[in-house]
Amino acid sequence: MDQNFIDEQTFENETFSKYEFEKGDYELCTFINCSFLDADLSNTRFMECEFYDCNLSSANVFQTGFQDVIFKDCKMLGIDFEKCSDFAFNITVDNCQLSHASFYKMNLSKMIFKVCKLEGVDFTECNLSTSVFDHCDLLNATFLKTNLEKADFRTSKNFIIDLENNRIKGAKFSRKSVDGLLSKYLIKIE
């Protein structure tokens, strides 16, 4: 069966349900104010695509390729990114809600999360070396056996990182966020 190839198209105000999204390879496409809520995006590849004001919550991304994809002002709750194709996986997220997403064991080195709500996100065993969390809310995010070397958390809040169970050499933190590194010791910082 031949895979559809869609390039340089703009999709605006579309609703793609579980059975309506056309699988294929999308290159240089733009999606504006589209709903992918519970959509089946499995075995689809997005290359150099941009998503603006879209809802991708609970989308099925099994073996989905995201290669140089931008998400801006999107709602992406509960997505299991670890099920995506890891071939050339590269996304940029700006002002997005990614709460309850999972990046388990993914290579996210040099990733930039900008002004994102990352509540309850699972970063267990990820490589987040040299990644930047710029003004992100990491309430209840999980960091376990995570490589955070040279990662930048200086402007982010609500994270708890166990110094003994994560690699953090060279990571950057602000003085006001140091309590997120010491919370397991039940000490008071004033």
Side-chain angles (χ1 to χ4, degrees), residues 43-47 63-67 69 84-85 87 89:
N43 299 302
T44 299
R45 188 164 52 158
F46 298 97
M47 299 161 290
Q63 289 302 309
T64 303
F66 290 111
Q67 301 166 359
V69 174
C84 289
S85 168
F87 178 75
F89 181 88

Side-chain angles (χ1 to χ4, degrees), residues 149-187:
E149 293 177 349
K150 299 181 181 176
D152 189 343
F153 290 90
R154 290 179 292 178
T155 59
S156 289
K157 64 181 181 178
N158 293 327
F159 55 83
I160 295 177
I161 298 172
D162 186 335
L163 299 173
E164 297 168 12
N165 289 309
N166 294 285
R167 295 170 45 194
I168 64 159
K169 184 177 181 180
K172 299 173 186 173
F173 301 93
S174 67
R175 288 192 191 275
K176 65 181 180 180
S177 67
V178 75
D179 57 332
L181 301 174
L182 303 173
S183 63
K184 93 174 210 177
Y185 301 107
L186 303 175
I187 59 176

